[in-house]
Amino acid sequence: MNLKELYQQARMDRNQLAKAILSCLIADIDLAKSRGETLVELDLIQKYIKNANTNYDLTKDMKYLLELTYLHTLLPKQLDSSEIKQIIAQSDLTDIK
């Protein structure tokens, strides 16, 4: 799902936290596009994570932990070594060094 679809789902679910975060992400992306800039969603999400970490460290406010939890759900899943080995075995990429 893209961010706009996630936002629509958050609205239907009445998830205020997700709506707030997604609306800010979408607004930042739209602003960058209007300026002719290229903005990668993943980079922006990581920037939001860094900001939420900093804010939590400064304030110890639990809302930043909630933000972090939600923001991490937007990141792509990282593969562990066994999953990577399985993909390599299935793709016949054993000769790559």
Side-chain angles (χ1 to χ4, degrees):
M1 265 191 211
N2 67 35
L3 293 179
K4 290 184 180 183
E5 290 170 345
L6 288 172
Y7 177 77
Q8 292 299 325
Q9 186 63 47
R11 285 186 63 201
M12 287 190 288
D13 295 343
R14 298 175 192 232
N15 183 337
Q16 297 299 320
L17 176 67
K19 277 178 27 180
I21 292 170
L22 291 166
S23 66
C24 289
L25 285 168
I26 292 166
D28 283 348
I29 291 168
D30 288 344
L31 180 62
K33 284 181 184 177
S34 72
R35 292 180 179 167
E37 300 170 3
T38 302
L39 185 63
V40 178
E41 287 180 12
L42 181 59
D43 293 339
L44 185 60
I45 293 167
Q46 289 173 335
K47 178 182 171 186
Y48 274 51
I49 289 172
K50 181 180 175 185
N51 289 342
N53 273 323
T54 301
N55 288 334
Y56 177 73
D57 290 342
L58 294 173
T59 65
K60 301 301 182 210
D61 190 336
M62 294 302 289
K63 73 178 181 182
Y64 296 113
L65 287 180
L66 293 173
E67 281 185 29
L68 284 167
T69 301
Y70 183 74
L71 287 164
H72 280 284
T73 67
L74 300 176
L75 294 174
K77 179 182 175 259
Q78 300 228 339
L79 301 175
D80 63 26
S81 61
S82 63
E83 291 172 315
I84 293 171
K85 288 176 183 175
Q86 182 180 10
I87 290 170
I88 291 171
Q90 290 174 349
S91 302
D92 195 28
L93 300 174
T94 53
D95 294 335
I96 296 176
K97 294 182 183 180

